[in-house]
Amino acid sequence: MSYEWILLDADETLFDFKMSEARALSAVLASMQLDPEDVAITDCYNRINRGLWQELEQGKINSTELKVERFRRFCVEQGLNEDAGVISDRYIQSLSEQAFILAGALDLCLYLKDHGYRMAIITNGIKQVQVGRIGRSELKDFFEAVIVSEDTGFQKPQPGIFEHAFSRIGSAEKEKMLMVGDSLTSDIQGGNNVGIDTCWYNPGRLPNTTGIVPTYEIHELEELKEILERNRA
């Protein structure tokens, strides 16, 4: 099978979201007179944030609610009398300005472009953050479309975000598409849900205990080239 479209997740597939998040959170905590180096404080926020993103993936909340609710809960747990909406706006602005890409991401995109593949990003997240970060990065000119869950009303693994992507890129030839991402429950399950091939980027070599089966598995972005070469033969 020869693929035409490579559909890519953004965070922790191409972009170093953990670094971006740490930088933005540090700035916001400092603005609240909190110590960004206090592990108990950062762990509190990260726990709340992870839980809410899981709820978003499950369709229990929407991204508008998530943006403010994580800081509302954080302030309650920390005993702070702060305006969660103001803090949220400050954090999102800072996060949108952080554009760190993972090792191998630029090389992969150059390879895909040079070999005639068409590329689009499908990402769960907040439009201001994702578009801002991608637009500030070295990868900004590679993608024919950037589909963000906040724009579509659906998030991976829901079929709706993929159907929206197919409409945006003007293609319904699912056999010519490959979804690449680091999350089994979001990227791989999402691709499986709409009947396209999937490639799980698993740099940590984590065991797959989910029952979700990707078409391929890679541990370095470089390995995707080998898969594509085999399929072009």
Side-chain angles (χ1 to χ4, degrees):
M1 180 179 296
S2 182
Y3 298 110
E4 178 180 347
W5 280 97
I6 308 301
L7 308 177
L8 293 143
D9 172 50
D11 294 328
E12 301 307 321
T13 299
L14 297 175
F15 292 86
D16 190 337
F17 184 73
K18 291 176 183 175
M19 181 180 290
S20 297
E21 185 178 42
R23 293 283 183 92
L25 182 61
S26 179
V28 167
L29 291 177
S31 76
M32 298 166 67
Q33 311 304 314
L34 296 174
D35 181 3
E37 302 300 320
D38 188 323
V39 175
I41 291 174
T42 56
D43 282 354
C44 173
Y45 170 80
N46 289 328
R47 171 176 48 79
I48 291 168
N49 190 46
R50 278 195 306 271
L52 285 168
W53 277 104
Q54 288 172 354
E55 290 184 27
L56 180 73
E57 192 174 294
Q58 295 161 3
K60 295 179 180 178
I61 61 170
N62 60 45
S63 59
T64 300
E65 294 167 331
L66 180 149
K67 286 187 285 189
V68 177
E69 180 63 16
R70 56 188 171 184
F71 286 105
R72 189 195 68 78
R73 294 187 188 182
F74 174 75
C75 288
V76 168
E77 288 202 22
Q78 294 295 317
L80 302 171
N81 185 24
E82 298 273 359
D83 186 323
V86 171
I87 299 168
S88 173
D89 289 345
R90 193 181 302 156
Y91 174 75
I92 288 169
Q93 179 58 41
S94 179
L95 188 56
S96 71
E97 297 169 356
Q98 314 294 329
F100 305 102
I101 62 173
L102 293 171
L106 178 59
D107 183 60
L108 174 63
C109 288
L110 286 167
Y111 170 87
L112 294 174
K113 180 180 179 180
D114 289 346
H115 287 76
Y117 293 99
R118 304 175 73 181
M119 289 172 273
I121 281 180
I122 305 179
T123 176
N124 284 352
I126 297 162
K127 182 178 181 179
Q128 179 184 343
V129 171
Q130 301 301 68
V131 172
R133 291 168 59 235
I134 294 167
R136 286 173 169 82
S137 78
E138 299 168 275
L139 307 184
K140 64 180 180 180
D141 296 323
F142 287 101
F143 310 107
E144 295 188 38
V146 175
I147 294 90
V148 185
S149 60
E150 186 178 47
D151 252 357
T152 70
F154 303 96
Q155 37 290 316
K156 297 177 292 184
Q158 295 174 321
I161 190 171
F162 289 91
E163 298 297 343
H164 183 90
F166 301 156
S167 177
R168 280 279 305 277
I169 66 177
S171 177
E173 296 181 283
K174 296 180 181 181
E175 70 279 2
K176 294 185 178 181
M177 299 178 187
L178 178 66
M179 178 69 211
V180 182
D182 69 298
S183 171
L184 285 167
T185 57
S186 173
D187 305 309
I188 306 309
Q189 184 63 65
N192 290 352
N193 286 346
V194 293
I196 62 176
D197 283 358
T198 56
C199 179
W200 181 32
Y201 174 47
N202 180 21
R205 298 177 183 266
L206 302 174
N208 181 356
T209 59
T210 65
I212 300 168
V213 181
T215 313
Y216 313 101
E217 178 179 340
I218 59 175
H219 304 121
E220 297 180 6
L221 291 175
E222 176 81 12
E223 295 173 42
L224 181 60
K225 300 177 189 179
E226 300 170 16
I227 291 170
L228 296 174
E229 288 295 336
R230 291 200 303 268
N231 281 276
R232 287 167 68 96

